[in-house]
Amino acid sequence: MSDDVPAPDSVEQFAADLRLLRVRAGSPTLASLQHATGISRTVLSDAFAGKQLPSARTVDGIVTACKTDPVEWLRRRDQLAKRAAVPEGEEPPAVVRKSRHVHWVVAAVIGLAGFALGAGTSNVVTTDVMQAQVTTLKKELAAAGPVNPHAQIQVRTGVDPAMTPCVNDAKVSASEDRPHNTRIQIIWSNKCYAGWARIARYDGLENGNEVTVSIYPETAPKGPDRQDATEPGVQGAYTTLIVRPSPQTRLCAVGSITVGSQTISLGDPICT
């Protein structure tokens, strides 16, 4: 994450950082921001006041109007929205992303190792159990796919970009507004030689519905490197990483949304 976008913590802190961004952009008036974004002054004022988490569309508009890349801000906003959707003390819903499963395996291995050291010769955690956990972890990492020799930062297909340095040089390499007030983007990290796809909906119908986005090599739309993400009840979602297999291979993304029982395709893929 860049220096301009601190780690997410609360809606109030997010609003404070938006105010700081506005000051750095020369303190544009609400009227000028309304003209630049098409968003009402009331909504803009509420976003800066921190009364509630602003919509992805509002964040996108404010940050873009302040001449800053909105990708990291939108990712941060999505993280806050997901945290707010999980009541305190409850576990978050299952996530299909392979990288997060790997993350929890790593945590489990570290936790078991610490317990074993503390317990000495305890029979609760045995060497065999530890070895089984390590073997599982190795299999998960191996299944994530090969690294690419063109990359300055070595990452693997299937890893959550938020868990890597890829976000530091990430740029939007393809972006299109689609029907039903939606947007599909491909984010690219040149240092990682990898990209991921992002979808955002601005129709206000996210509650009770889902967004889905996928990224894949143009040469293998249904191949093993295809990365899919489906998230319920949010305005935006992003996929895990896909390492570009060769300089000649284009990466493509598609998306869909649900409204009630209807799944709506957002059209042809975008590619980069």
Side-chain angles (χ1 to χ4, degrees):
M1 188 176 290
S2 67
D3 292 339
D4 287 338
V5 187
D9 47 6
S10 68
V11 174
E12 292 77 12
Q13 184 60 51
F14 188 80
D17 294 334
L18 280 178
R19 294 194 295 270
L20 179 59
L21 180 69
R22 181 183 178 187
V23 170
R24 291 177 176 175
S27 299
T29 64
L30 289 178
S32 65
L33 287 174
Q34 179 183 23
H35 178 75
T37 63
I39 300 169
S40 74
R41 277 183 279 187
T42 299
V43 172
L44 292 170
S45 178
D46 287 347
F48 289 120
K51 295 180 179 179
Q52 62 183 13
L53 184 66
S55 70
R57 182 178 185 180
T58 299
V59 173
D60 194 358
I62 290 174
V63 176
T64 300
C66 290
K67 311 258 186 255
T68 299
D69 191 331
V71 172
E72 283 300 292
W73 286 87
L74 289 168
R75 184 175 68 82
R76 180 184 177 190
R77 186 259 166 214
D78 287 349
Q79 289 176 335
L80 283 169
K82 289 177 184 177
R83 287 171 52 188
V86 179
E88 186 175 356
E90 291 188 11
E91 291 293 328
V95 180
V96 296
R97 298 191 181 104
K98 183 191 308 176
S99 62
R100 296 201 178 176
H101 179 62
V102 173
H103 174 72
W104 283 110
V105 172
V106 173
V109 171
I110 294 172
L112 286 171
F115 184 82
L117 289 173
T121 58
S122 170
N123 292 327
V124 176
V125 180
T126 67
T127 302
D128 289 341
V129 172
M130 286 297 301
Q131 185 59 47
Q133 293 286 348
V134 172
T135 300
T136 300
L137 174 59
K138 288 181 178 179
K139 288 181 179 179
E140 291 281 358
L141 293 175
V147 297
N148 193 290
H150 296 281
Q152 299 175 41
I153 301 172
Q154 296 296 323
V155 294
R156 295 180 182 274
T157 293
V159 173
D160 188 336
M163 305 294 291
T164 73
C166 302
V167 297
N168 294 333
D169 77 315
K171 302 293 183 183
V172 177
S173 62
S175 179
E176 287 189 12
D177 290 337
R178 291 300 176 91
H180 302 278
N181 212 2
T182 59
R183 178 176 297 162
I184 299 177
Q185 295 178 321
I186 296 178
I187 317 301
W188 174 255
S189 165
N190 201 50
K191 290 185 177 180
C192 292
Y193 210 71
W196 59 98
R198 183 184 179 279
I199 186 173
R201 68 187 301 167
Y202 307 121
D203 57 1
L205 300 176
E206 64 273 9
N207 290 336
N209 291 305
E210 295 180 340
V211 291
T212 297
V213 64
S214 304
I215 189 169
Y216 54 84
E218 187 178 32
T219 53
K222 302 295 184 181
D225 286 342
R226 180 186 177 103
Q227 303 298 307
D228 303 301
T230 297
E231 297 284 358
V234 297
Q235 290 182 306
Y238 63 92
T239 69
T240 44
L241 287 172
I242 180 170
V243 175
R244 190 189 294 274
S246 74
Q248 294 75 35
T249 304
R250 296 206 304 169
L251 300 180
C252 299
V254 292
S256 66
I257 61 173
T258 65
V259 178
S261 60
Q262 183 182 12
T263 298
I264 303 170
S265 170
L266 299 182
D268 295 336
I270 63 171
C271 299
T272 185

